[in-house]
Amino acid sequence: MAVRVQRENFDLGDEVAALRAGRTDIGAVVSFTGLVRDMGGRLTGFELEHYPAMTEKALAAIEAEARVRWPLQASLIVHRVGPLAPGDQIMMVATASAHRQAAFEAAEFLMDYLKSRAPFWKKETTVTGAAWVDARESDEAALERWTSRQS
Amino acid sequence: MTLNVLYFAWVRERVGLPGEKVETEAATVADLVRELAAREARYAAAFVDMTAVRVAVDQELAGLDAPLAGVREVAFFPPMTGG
């Protein structure tokens, strides 16, 4: 039940430890960490821009939707902004539930929605210059499995 | 009415501003886009293909047909690429 946008790095172990601190009802924690990859040495870094007034609101809405769909005991989204270099951590999600299936599915759901519904934009710098990253059709398609499941 | 209009990513770069106050009587987002595009070439360049632009009205994703009555902030940006 927490959402954070920050320039600083994060420690996955610390975040997960805080998520489950003092609880004995959690049976499964799933976490995902997104990293900057160098794309075969071409990418030298990127800048992550966001829409501050909207970002946390959008992430909180996505998280609230996950909690309607799965019996989550805790969840966390951390997303970094600003300049990042290959190998840097970009973001993480963690979900906690009594059983693994809900935790796995909810983590995937959070990632799929975050990628195309939260106001972040990446501008890549490569050896040939800087360019805004295009959204992928596959990211939009990834949402369909969650909407078709509702009906 | 006075709207706070914001631009992000390449929309911001094309318009040349992160945001501005816009005095308008536009009834919908589409009307506002037409007004802005008619101003100057840099706005027209930003809004040349609205299928490539996403809109948020008061920090919520919205369509081009979204009404602007009572709205305070409209943001224009490309499809999002977080994660």
Side-chain angles (χ1 to χ4, degrees):
Chain A
M1 292 45 73
V3 161
R4 274 188 357 244
V5 179
Q6 62 189 43
R7 295 181 73 87
E8 309 78 53
N9 198 8
F10 55 85
D11 184 290
L12 179 66
D14 291 350
E15 299 295 348
V16 170
L19 194 74
R20 47 173 293 222
R23 300 192 60 157
T24 52
D25 57 338
I26 293 172
V29 174
V30 166
S31 74
F32 171 88
T33 309
L35 307 172
V36 182
R37 66 197 163 92
D38 70 2
M39 307 208 298
R42 249 177 8 92
L43 186 128
T44 54
F46 60 58
E47 178 82 24
L48 251 158
E49 177 173 335
H50 77 130
Y51 174 6
M54 178 174 170
T55 314
E56 295 201 3
K57 204 166 152 180
L59 292 176
I62 293 166
E63 196 179 46
E65 176 64 24
R67 294 178 56 76
V68 168
R69 294 177 179 228
W70 291 278
L72 298 181
Q73 288 153 323
S75 57
L76 172 69
I77 302 174
V78 180
H79 206 298
R80 295 178 69 191
V81 293
L84 294 171
D88 282 354
Q89 302 190 114
I90 308 168
M91 51 80 58
M92 63 161 286
V93 302
T95 51
S97 191
H99 303 286
R100 71 180 186 281
Q101 191 185 357
F104 271 123
E105 288 183 2
E108 275 204 280
F109 173 90
L110 290 177
M111 280 311 304
D112 285 348
Y113 271 82
L114 187 152
K115 280 197 96 77
S116 37
R117 292 292 183 270
F120 293 101
W121 302 275
K122 294 189 185 103
K123 189 177 195 176
E124 290 180 346
T125 307
T126 67
V127 287
T128 55
W132 292 98
V133 174
D134 283 324
R136 294 181 184 179
E137 280 182 30
S138 59
D139 289 341
E140 200 58 37
L143 299 186
E144 281 170 25
R145 63 175 164 152
W146 304 112
T147 49
S148 58
R149 188 175 290 194
Q150 252 181 336
S151 56
Chain B
M1 67 185 150
T2 306
L3 283 178
N4 192 25
V5 180
L6 303 177
Y7 312 106
F8 292 95
W10 60 252
V11 179
R12 169 177 56 73
E13 291 179 344
R14 287 192 195 173
V15 173
L17 291 172
E20 60 190 317
K21 301 276 183 213
V22 173
E23 193 58 44
T24 180
E25 295 309 317
T28 65
V29 172
D31 293 340
L32 175 66
V33 169
R34 272 190 291 275
E35 274 185 27
L36 292 169
R39 276 182 168 184
E40 279 182 58
R42 57 197 172 99
Y43 291 93
F47 297 126
V48 65
D49 176 11
M50 287 307 290
T51 64
V53 177
R54 299 290 176 269
V55 182
V57 168
D58 284 341
Q59 299 95 40
E60 302 262 2
L61 290 172
L64 288 172
D65 56 351
L68 294 180
V71 165
R72 302 171 67 162
E73 187 165 286
V74 178
F76 295 100
F77 42 78
M80 294 154 273
T81 54

